[in-house]
Amino acid sequence: MNKLVSIKNNDNIIMASKIYENNAPEKVYFENTLNFKINDYIYKNMDLGNNFASISGKVTNIFSYNNKSFMEITNDYQENMQNRLYKKKCHNKEELINLLSKYKLDNIVKKIKSIDNIKNIVISSIDEEIYTIKEFIRLENNYMEILETLDYLNKIILNKKSFLAVKNTNFNSIKNVKSIIGTYPKIKIILTPDKYLISYKPFLCNYLNLVKEETLLLSTNELYSIYNILNGKNNLEVLITLSGNATYKSIVINAKLGVLLKELMTEYLEFSENYYEVYKNGYFKGTLIKDIDNFYITNDIHFIEFRKIENKLVSPCINCGACIKICPFNINVKKCFQKNYASKKCIKCGLCNFICPSNIDLKSIVGSYDNEKENNN
């Protein structure tokens, strides 16, 4: 694998220093998998099939979108709960998997189940995309809970040294963690370079000299989700970054599940551009949002990027080879483009698009094979 690259942030963007709480949205939207009807009352924390309700209130609208049924819940601001959670205790990996499955933390369960013999646990506070600071700010605000939960996982799964990966530029987090890490002798803090894709499992494990197939890698926010369940709190919010070069500042919001993106934009953001594109989970690895008005927050969203529309002139390939040199998996990007076929190795990192002087959308061809999840397990 090639060395990783540094991608400089836009210095004109004021980066977030705190987490804003989106506690009381007027309405939220969920897929109507259990066929609720208008005027049905929804309790906070109520099981909605593939999610839990983030507010209490009545169903005020049922509608179809993208061939699926959705419901609108209007907040009564009463916070009425159908079920209350209590502190949980797990004694082994199987009990933990069952608990996390019950509360729909399926992505974490899949990661734990995918490794037959877990020999290493790594918690990463490194964000995947530029402009996003979701993992970094979670560690900075909740480092005590992160260390406590990592120590707990270590006892029931591993009972040996585990690792907390922090970028070497995150000075406050490093200082905070080092001030109490002596309390946890089986946790080691690892400082990593500030490089794009260092959070990606193959690269991080390679940097730590760990075997990828034996290593459970979780993010700080995934670990914090486990902390919430163990301490009697369901995960009804998601921590997301709103940022990009079309905005004046970067905002990190603890947003209620189901809230409309438009509502968050109106309340929290100021734009430096009148026309911009919006990307779910970032410009490099994410996807373009075509219908902003009907886009609501789900638990798989961690970053919304607002990007200036650049009318770049696309020209024929000049055979410079820059795309091949920058590819972290040494894919012959130029050949894939010329032959119009995808590569199973591609993780859709977007570096080929970023470097191409001809402004060719190489990622859409080379990365059209849906293999990202397989590569990251």
Side-chain angles (χ1 to χ4, degrees):
M1 289 184 278
N2 289 348
K3 66 179 182 179
L4 302 178
V5 298
S6 297
I7 300 177
K8 185 175 174 57
N9 281 349
N10 188 331
D11 291 334
N12 294 323
I13 298 174
I14 301 172
M15 301 304 287
S17 58
K18 68 176 183 178
I19 298 174
Y20 290 83
E21 296 290 338
N22 171 246
N23 290 321
E26 181 183 353
K27 299 175 187 294
V28 293
Y29 299 82
F30 290 94
E31 191 175 344
N32 188 18
T33 58
L34 299 182
N35 297 316
F36 287 99
K37 296 179 175 57
I38 291 178
N39 289 326
D40 281 353
Y41 191 80
I42 304 296
Y43 290 89
K44 184 179 178 180
N45 203 40
M46 189 173 181
D47 192 340
L48 303 180
N50 56 3
N51 257 310
F52 293 97
S54 55
I55 63 171
S56 63
K58 286 187 177 181
V59 176
T60 49
N61 192 17
I62 303 288
F63 59 96
S64 294
Y65 183 70
N66 286 342
N67 298 318
K68 293 182 179 179
S69 176
F70 287 84
M71 61 179 174
E72 172 190 85
I73 305 170
T74 298
N75 200 344
D76 65 1
Y77 304 103
Q78 299 301 307
E79 298 285 287
N80 290 323
M81 281 196 180
Q82 186 181 50
N83 298 302
R84 294 191 177 274
L85 276 68
Y86 300 93
K87 284 193 173 185
K88 305 290 192 303
K89 192 170 184 179
C90 300
H91 298 91
N92 52 54
K93 184 173 75 171
E94 288 68 32
E95 289 184 8
L96 178 66
I97 288 173
N98 291 336
L99 178 64
L100 300 182
S101 297
K102 180 179 178 181
Y103 291 102
K104 307 184 191 303
L105 296 179
D106 298 331
N107 188 49
I108 300 175
V109 169
K110 183 178 179 181
K111 288 183 178 183
I112 297 174
K113 283 185 172 182
S114 69
I115 305 170
D116 293 329
N117 184 17
I118 297 174
K119 293 186 178 180
N120 312 291
I121 298 177
V122 178
I123 305 302
S124 172
S125 66
I126 308 163
D127 287 283
E128 293 184 358
E129 284 259 352
I130 63 169
Y131 298 132
T132 181
I133 53 174
K134 175 179 80 98
E135 303 302 340
F136 152 69
I137 208 165
R138 175 61 77 196
L139 179 62
E140 188 158 299
N141 282 265
N142 301 103
Y143 63 95
M144 296 182 71
E145 293 90 341
I146 295 299
L147 289 172
E148 175 189 322
T149 311
L150 176 53
D151 186 62
Y152 183 81
L153 285 191
N154 193 42
K155 289 175 181 176
I156 64 172
I157 293 180
L158 200 60
N159 202 26
K160 59 180 286 191
K161 227 177 234 313
S162 50
F163 304 91
L164 175 64
V166 186
K167 274 189 197 175
N168 57 18
T169 53
N170 293 351
F171 304 115
N172 283 341
S173 293
I174 294 169
K175 179 182 177 182
N176 291 338
V177 170
K178 283 188 173 181
S179 70
I180 63 168
I181 201 168
T183 313
Y184 303 101
K186 291 188 177 180
I187 299 177
K188 182 178 181 180
I189 184 172
I190 299 291
L191 305 185
T192 72
D194 188 1
K195 303 284 188 179
Y196 178 51
L197 291 180
I198 189 66
S199 65
Y200 190 65
K201 188 174 182 178
F203 294 106
L204 188 55
C205 287
N206 183 61
Y207 182 80
L208 299 175
N209 292 317
L210 302 176
V211 178
K212 183 183 76 152
E213 291 75 18
E214 299 174 347
T215 302
L216 173 63
L217 174 63
L218 299 175
S219 71
T220 51
N221 276 283
E222 287 175 323
L223 193 68
Y224 191 72
S225 295
I226 297 174
Y227 169 84
N228 282 339
I229 297 301
L230 291 172
N231 286 274
K233 181 183 176 184
N234 208 342
N235 293 288
L236 306 179
E237 301 87 23
V238 60
L239 199 66
I240 60 172
T241 305
L242 305 184
S243 187
N245 62 12
T247 63
Y248 286 114
K249 57 184 177 180
S250 171
I251 297 290
V252 178
I253 306 172
N254 202 36
K256 291 284 189 182
L257 289 174
V259 68
L260 278 176
L261 172 59
K262 271 287 195 178
E263 184 175 332
L264 299 180
M265 291 166 60
T266 301
E267 184 173 355
Y268 294 101
L269 287 182
E270 294 180 53
F271 290 91
S272 58
E273 303 290 319
N274 292 325
Y275 303 99
Y276 48 83
E277 293 177 322
V278 186
Y279 289 85
K280 169 187 172 181
N281 292 336
Y283 174 72
F284 277 83
K285 294 193 72 178
T287 54
L288 180 68
I289 300 174
K290 296 180 180 179
D291 185 2
I292 303 175
D293 292 335
N294 293 300
F295 188 88
Y296 64 94
I297 301 303
T298 54
N299 52 17
D300 64 332
I301 296 170
H302 59 82
F303 179 34
I304 302 292
E305 182 171 353
F306 303 89
R307 195 171 183 86
K308 295 178 184 178
I309 295 177
E310 300 176 359
N311 296 316
K312 294 181 178 179
L313 179 64
V314 179
S315 57
C317 175
I318 61 173
N319 296 311
C320 66
C323 56
I324 301 173
K325 291 177 184 177
I326 203 169
C327 178
F329 284 94
N330 298 314
I331 299 170
N332 192 327
V333 179
K334 183 182 73 171
K335 183 178 179 181
C336 290
F337 166 68
Q338 291 173 340
K339 299 291 185 179
N340 195 32
Y341 72 84
S343 170
K344 291 183 180 181
K345 293 181 180 180
C346 181
I347 61 169
K348 306 172 190 175
C349 68
L351 285 173
C352 54
N353 281 20
F354 174 74
I355 204 69
C356 179
S358 298
N359 298 315
I360 299 170
D361 185 7
L362 298 166
K363 186 179 76 169
S364 65
I365 295 172
V366 184
S368 57
Y369 187 90
D370 189 13
N371 201 39
E372 181 176 2
K373 291 182 180 179
E374 181 181 328
N375 275 320
N376 204 23
N377 283 335

